Amino acid sequence: MSCEVANISFLVCPITTRRDKFPLHLDMPRGLTIYGVVAVEQVRAFDLEARNPRFIESVKQSDDSSFIEHVHECLKSFF
């Protein structure tokens, strides 16, 4: 019996307004609608087809490459 399941999964880090002094809480770049810190240690894989998410905003690498690089470096330690 073969079971092949395909889904669209993405890694997602929650954003919180609680500013704890935790090394894996990264400040969101300025100038965005969303503010707070990204809780990188709480990374999750989400099936976007099952969750039906609503897109709000993104950080483009050209806008703040140091932020994106810092998130990537933190995530590397998990994988």
Side-chain angles (χ1 to χ4, degrees):
M1 177 177 216
S2 174
C3 180
E4 293 183 28
V5 177
N7 64 4
I8 300 172
S9 293
F10 284 85
L11 293 179
V12 178
C13 295
I15 299 170
T16 180
T17 57
R18 187 171 176 178
R19 295 187 177 277
D20 296 334
K21 296 291 183 193
F22 192 70
L24 295 177
H25 286 186
L26 308 177
D27 288 324
M28 291 289 295
R30 297 188 186 278
L32 299 173
T33 305
I34 298 172
Y35 58 92
V37 295
V38 177
V40 180
E41 81 283 3
Q42 295 182 27
V43 64
R44 301 285 188 264
F46 278 90
D47 177 352
L48 296 184
E49 290 177 342
R51 295 276 183 167
N52 195 22
R54 180 175 53 103
F55 176 80
I56 298 172
E57 188 171 25
S58 66
V59 177
K60 294 178 178 61
Q61 192 156 5
S62 60
D63 292 342
D64 194 338
S65 61
S66 62
F67 174 76
I68 299 294
E69 289 171 10
H70 200 171
V71 171
H72 286 167
E73 286 300 315
C74 289
L75 288 173
K76 280 184 191 178
S77 66
F78 294 111
F79 300 102

